[in-house]
Amino acid sequence: MARYAAIAGTGSYVPETVLTNFDLEKMVDTTDEWIRKRTGIVERRISDGDMATSDLAVRAARQAIKTAEVDPLDVDMIIVGTVTPDTLFPATGCYVQQGIGAKNASAFDLSAACAGFIYGLDLADGMIKSGRYDTILVIGGEVFSNILDWTDRSTCVLFGDGAGAAVLRGTDEPTGIIASYIGSDGDNADIDLLGVPAGGSRLPPSHETIDKKLHSIKMSGREVFKLGVRIMPESAQRVLEQSGLTIDDIDLLIPHQANLRIIEAVGERLGIPREKVYVNVDRYGNTSAATVIIALDEAIREGRAKQGDNILLVTFGAGLTWGSTLLKL
Ligand code: UT7
C-alpha cells in the first residue's frame, strides 16, 4: 500500500525585537519609502543577544509537536534547514534534539539556503515513503541578523530572523505531500551572486576576512531577482504536472518571502488570483529557510489554510537551489 507523509502539526517562532524601516533610516543611508516600494518590507524581527538558531527552532518545534500531539520520544529524525547554524558543528539539529528531548531521533542540518525547508520536506517524504521512518520533524530556522553587514544598505534591510517547524507522519491516506520537486544549479554557485565568502575551509577566519567583512552576506540583488522570477514559476509548474492538478485547484500559494515584487510576479506568471497568495514579508522580511514554514504555520492558525486544502509552497535561494511542494492539508 502507498505511504504518504501527512502534515501532523506545525509551529513557528519569531523573536520579540522588531526592527522597523524607520530604525534602519538611522543606521544606513536608506528610507522607509525605498524599502517599502522596492521590497514590500515594513519591519523584521531580530534575535536578542545570545539567541541562536536552535533557540528559535526549539520554540517552533515544541509548538509543532504539541499541535501534532506527538511524544518527542516518537520523533525518528530531525532535519534543520539552515545556513546560520549555531556552530559549524555539532549540527543545530543536535541542539534541537536536546532542547525538545527527542532522544530516539537522528538529527542533522541541511544546507540549501532559502530552499532548506523544502529540501527537508522532500527528504522526509522519501524517508517516510520508504517505510524506514515514520515521524520526522522538519525545521527551517535562521538568525540572519548575525551574518549581515549592518553598514551595507543593499542587504541589511532585506533579512530577518525566525524559525518554523512541521511534524510529518506516515499514513496510508492520500494526503500530505502530494508532489515534491527540488533542483539546483551549481553553475551559479557564485559567491558574488549570493553567499557568505569566509568562515569555511576556502577562506578560514583571519583578521583580514574580518576587516574586509567577508563573514557577511554578499548579493547581486538584481541578478538574483531575475533568476527568482524565472525559476520559481517553472518549479511550481513541475509539481502541478506531477500531481495532475492545475493552478485553479490550488487554495493557497505560499512563495518564498524575499520581496513582494518577486511574490507578485510569481503569482502573475502562475495565473493565480492575488487573494490566494500568502504574504508576510511585510512583517518579517526574508527569513531564508524559515519563510515558507512560518507562513504555512500562520496561514493554518489564521484559518487561511484549512484541512483538505491544496497548498503550493515554492522557494528559491543561493546555490542556486530551489524547490516546490504540493500539500493536501
Ligand atoms: O532569498 C533569495 C535571495 N534574495 C532575493 O531574492 C532578493 C532579490 N533582489 C531584490 O529583492 C532586489 O533586487 C533588491 C531589493 C535587493 C534591490 O532592488 P532593485 O530594484 O533591484 O534595486 P537595485 O539593486 O537595482 O538598486 C537601485 C538603486 C541603486 O542606486 P543607483 O545605482 O540607481 O543610484 C542602489 O544603490 O537603489 C539603491 N539602493 C538603495 N537605496 C536606498 C540599494 N539599496 C538601497 C537601500 N536604500 N536600502
Side-chain angles (χ1 to χ4, degrees):
M1 187 178 275
R3 285 296 270 173
Y4 292 86
I7 304 287
T10 60
S12 62
Y13 178 80
V14 290
E16 281 171 21
T17 303
V18 176
L19 186 75
T20 67
N21 293 347
F22 295 106
D23 295 328
L24 282 161
E25 283 185 356
K26 294 175 203 138
M27 296 162 65
V28 285
D29 181 16
T30 191
T31 59
D32 171 61
E33 194 200 351
W34 190 95
I35 303 171
R36 271 180 206 246
K37 218 165 120 189
R38 301 287 182 128
T39 73
I41 300 167
V42 178
E43 58 186 41
R44 69 287 289 144
R45 301 299 181 96
I46 302 294
S47 174
D48 309 299
D50 56 357
M51 261 202 158
T53 296
S54 72
D55 299 312
L56 312 188
V58 163
R59 283 163 174 79
R62 283 192 187 131
Q63 207 180 60
I65 284 171
K66 195 173 164 205
T67 314
E69 297 178 354
V70 162
D71 186 328
L73 295 175
D74 289 338
V75 175
D76 300 317
M77 178 177 280
I78 300 169
I79 305 171
V80 180
T82 187
V83 286
T84 51
D86 293 24
T87 48
L88 272 182
F89 65 90
T92 301
C94 295
Y95 299 123
V96 173
Q97 174 180 28
Q98 195 266 338
I100 62 171
K103 285 187 187 303
N104 298 318
S106 53
F108 60 95
D109 294 354
L110 195 160
S111 175
C114 300
F117 180 76
I118 300 277
Y119 265 59
L121 282 186
D122 189 78
L123 201 61
D125 184 41
M127 295 285 193
I128 287 172
K129 282 202 165 92
S130 79
R132 285 186 64 191
Y133 299 87
D134 187 60
T135 304
I136 302 185
L137 179 62
V138 183
I139 298 173
E142 308 278 12
V143 175
F144 251 66
S145 59
N146 283 348
I147 59 159
L148 291 174
D149 172 358
W150 288 100
T151 63
D152 175 9
R153 69 175 183 175
S154 71
T155 52
C156 76
V157 304
L158 304 173
F159 296 92
D161 302 337
V167 174
L168 273 74
R169 293 208 98 171
T171 174
D172 296 332
E173 300 294 317
T175 185
I177 299 179
I178 300 297
S180 176
Y181 160 67
I182 55 175
S184 42
D185 171 16
D187 287 343
N188 268 313
D190 174 0
I191 212 76
D192 293 323
L193 184 68
L194 185 52
V196 174
S201 56
R202 177 74 63 200
L203 209 53
S206 66
H207 290 293
E208 194 188 352
T209 59
I210 290 171
D211 290 345
K212 290 185 172 167
K213 298 190 168 158
L214 298 179
H215 296 271
S216 311
I217 189 165
K218 310 287 172 222
M219 180 171 72
S220 308
R222 215 177 288 183
E223 294 312 309
V224 174
F225 189 105
K226 282 189 256 172
L227 287 162
V229 167
R230 179 173 61 77
I231 290 170
M232 281 201 279
E234 285 174 10
S235 157
Q237 214 60 57
R238 292 280 283 256
V239 290
L240 285 171
E241 278 161 25
Q242 247 184 60
S243 65
L245 298 180
T246 72
I247 196 69
D248 297 335
D249 299 312
I250 299 303
D251 298 293
L252 192 66
L253 173 71
I254 303 185
H256 176 45
Q257 308 282 311
N259 184 319
L260 184 60
R261 289 189 291 144
I262 300 178
I263 294 170
E264 287 175 350
V266 169
E268 272 165 33
R269 286 193 183 194
L270 285 171
I272 190 164
R274 265 171 172 234
E275 60 274 15
K276 285 190 174 180
V277 182
Y278 195 85
V279 175
N280 66 8
V281 70
D282 51 327
R283 287 178 287 133
Y284 305 136
N286 181 350
T287 57
S288 179
T291 67
V292 287
I293 177 58
I294 293 175
L296 176 63
D297 181 54
E298 283 194 347
I300 291 172
R301 283 168 208 283
E302 289 163 0
R304 278 193 68 188
K306 299 175 292 300
Q307 207 179 351
D309 279 359
N310 292 319
I311 317 282
L312 179 52
L313 310 178
V314 53
T315 191
F316 153 85
L320 297 172
T321 53
W322 59 83
S324 296
T325 316
L326 209 162
L327 296 172
K328 185 175 273 301
L329 273 190

